[in-house]
Amino acid sequence: MRKILFVCSANKQRSKTASDYFSEKLTAFEFDSAGTNHKICNKEGTQPLTFELMKWADLVIVMEERHRKLIVENGGSEFGSKIRILSIPDRFKYYQKELIDLLEQKAKPLILNA
């Protein structure tokens, strides 16, 4: 079973939506999500991105280029080949219809080709 990790800043809106949504839709895959901003994740009670999660994932889908950059700069250069960028800005709420539409359009093909 392929393991897919979604990453955004706080693991509250975009990556959490992606993980929850695709967990229901694509049951042949295993999904998780995390945030790059540990301070906000700890404050909000969401999951911060860890080295262990990066190792666990077969494919890491980040919402913005800055998330990829943060991962690589913080010692994750070995993970560079499994990171894909969706270019979805931080302006959506959890499970917002427009966000779901973008995830279907941008993330689903990456997952199905993983």
Side-chain angles (χ1 to χ4, degrees):
M1 183 177 281
R2 303 281 290 169
K3 297 178 284 251
I4 316 289
L5 178 66
F6 288 100
V7 177
C8 68
S9 300
N11 188 222
K12 197 173 172 189
Q13 314 290 355
R14 296 172 290 172
S15 64
K16 185 77 176 129
T17 296
S19 176
D20 291 350
Y21 176 75
F22 287 118
S23 289
E24 285 186 22
K25 299 286 181 191
L26 302 174
T27 55
F29 299 85
E30 197 174 333
F31 296 96
D32 206 344
S33 61
T36 57
N37 189 323
H38 287 215
K39 189 175 181 180
I40 292 174
C41 288
N42 290 334
K43 182 179 171 231
E44 297 288 339
T46 57
Q47 179 163 250
L49 182 61
T50 63
F51 187 77
E52 290 73 26
L53 277 171
M54 289 297 297
K55 278 181 23 185
W56 168 84
D58 297 311
L59 174 65
V60 179
I61 301 177
V62 300
M63 296 297 153
E64 298 177 65
E65 165 61 26
R66 66 188 171 108
H67 300 126
R68 184 203 63 78
K69 194 173 177 197
L70 267 169
I71 291 167
V72 173
E73 284 175 357
N74 288 289
S77 57
E78 68 184 87
F79 303 123
S81 64
K82 63 179 173 180
I83 298 174
R84 301 292 177 272
I85 306 160
L86 295 182
S87 298
I88 296 178
D90 190 8
R91 64 169 182 248
F92 298 99
K93 298 291 182 213
Y94 177 75
Y95 244 85
Q96 186 176 331
K97 184 193 180 312
E98 293 83 356
L99 176 55
I100 298 288
D101 291 345
L102 281 172
L103 291 169
E104 275 284 335
Q105 173 193 339
K106 294 181 171 201
K108 193 173 184 180
L110 295 174
I111 296 165
L112 296 178
N113 292 322

